[in-house]
Amino acid sequence: MAYHTLRQEYMLMPPVTRAYTTVCLLTSIAVQLDVVSPFQLYFNPLLITQKFEIWRLLTPFFFFGTFSFNFLFNMIFTYRYCRMLEEGSFRGRTADFVYMFIFGCITTVICAWFVNLLFLGHSLTTMFVYIWARRNPYVRMNFFGLLPFRAPYLPWVLVAFSVLLGNSVLVDILGIAIGHLYFFLEDVFPNQPGGRRLLATPRILKLLFDTHIEDPLYNPAPDERPGGFDWGGAGAPGAADAAAADQPRENENQ
């Protein structure tokens, strides 16, 4: 019974989140069982360019360490915010979500080429968290039930938590910077006077991933709406005022 419930929950995960978290989990299991070594996975520009170990461009994003509290913490955040993005602002736009993944990976690799970073998955997770937080500015959160704050502060709370644990904050800062770059190019700049969308998803990705038609009658859950508001619905800010303003017009028409 538990197996079927777990399998059902696994299959309900959106495809990109399911694929990425599965690869990350299998990579850690392989390292834990000594099937592969972390030395075969870490990011090394010299080995990539001189010995053509091209797989090192990808494997640093898949390894979050062996089984430990740090591994569990990273996997939970990766699963949670990757899934919320894919089911929320990227719902029905799998190609755009994949393109965001590609943008994040390429930008992280370029930055890692100039700084001493060995594994890059945590930086990618921080990028997910930052983008989700900026697109849900009114969501209220708390950290371990102690510190209440709004979603845009979440990436910085994680930076502070890394400092408390004695970890390097370079990876977190890099993820925040890349997340902000994506957010600016995708959400801010196109809405400026003279702006345009610079991160248009290539047609080949749309042909590969966007195979279904979005249901026009789909009503997202409250936590999937920007800021958690029912925009345009009866519960939206200002909806009651708009309804009250329309009532005299209806009476006049009668």
Side-chain angles (χ1 to χ4, degrees), residues 88-100:
S89 58
F90 286 97
R91 187 182 189 279
R93 299 190 299 128
T94 304
D96 293 341
F97 189 63
V98 171
Y99 195 50
M100 183 206 70

Side-chain angles (χ1 to χ4, degrees), residues 168-182:
S168 171
V169 299
L170 180 60
V171 176
D172 296 278
I173 296 298
L174 179 60
I176 289 173
I178 295 173
H180 182 74
L181 177 61
Y182 179 87

Side-chain angles (χ1 to χ4, degrees), residues 16-101:
V16 179
T17 301
R18 182 170 65 241
Y20 182 59
T21 53
T22 299
V23 172
C24 292
L25 181 61
L26 292 177
T27 300
S28 292
I29 291 175
V31 172
Q32 190 78 34
L33 297 177
D34 290 328
V35 176
V36 296
S37 167
F39 294 105
Q40 298 173 288
L41 306 175
Y42 76 98
F43 182 76
N44 189 319
L46 292 179
L47 293 178
I48 293 172
T49 56
Q50 296 181 5
K51 295 192 175 182
F52 303 104
E53 297 183 1
I54 306 299
W55 66 85
R56 294 182 185 271
L57 292 171
L58 292 177
T59 53
F61 292 101
F62 301 147
F63 184 60
F64 285 92
T66 53
F67 297 136
S68 62
F69 172 77
N70 192 49
F71 167 80
L72 182 63
F73 185 82
N74 279 300
M75 285 302 300
I76 289 175
F77 266 76
T78 300
Y79 162 76
R80 176 176 173 81
Y81 290 97
C82 188
R83 179 169 186 169
M84 285 200 297
L85 275 177
E86 190 172 0
E87 292 183 335
S89 58
F90 286 97
R91 187 182 189 279
R93 299 190 299 128
T94 304
D96 293 341
F97 189 63
V98 171
Y99 195 50
M100 183 206 70
F101 241 99

Side-chain angles (χ1 to χ4, degrees), residues 125-166:
T125 298
T126 306
M127 184 192 80
F128 296 153
V129 172
Y130 184 89
I131 295 172
W132 177 86
R134 290 302 301 267
R135 288 183 170 180
N136 296 270
Y138 301 109
V139 174
R140 295 183 179 275
M141 313 186 72
N142 64 76
F143 196 66
F144 291 119
L146 301 175
L147 178 66
F149 56 91
R150 290 186 183 271
Y153 294 101
L154 177 59
W156 303 105
V157 171
L158 295 181
V159 170
F161 187 64
S162 293
V163 173
L164 291 176
L165 293 179

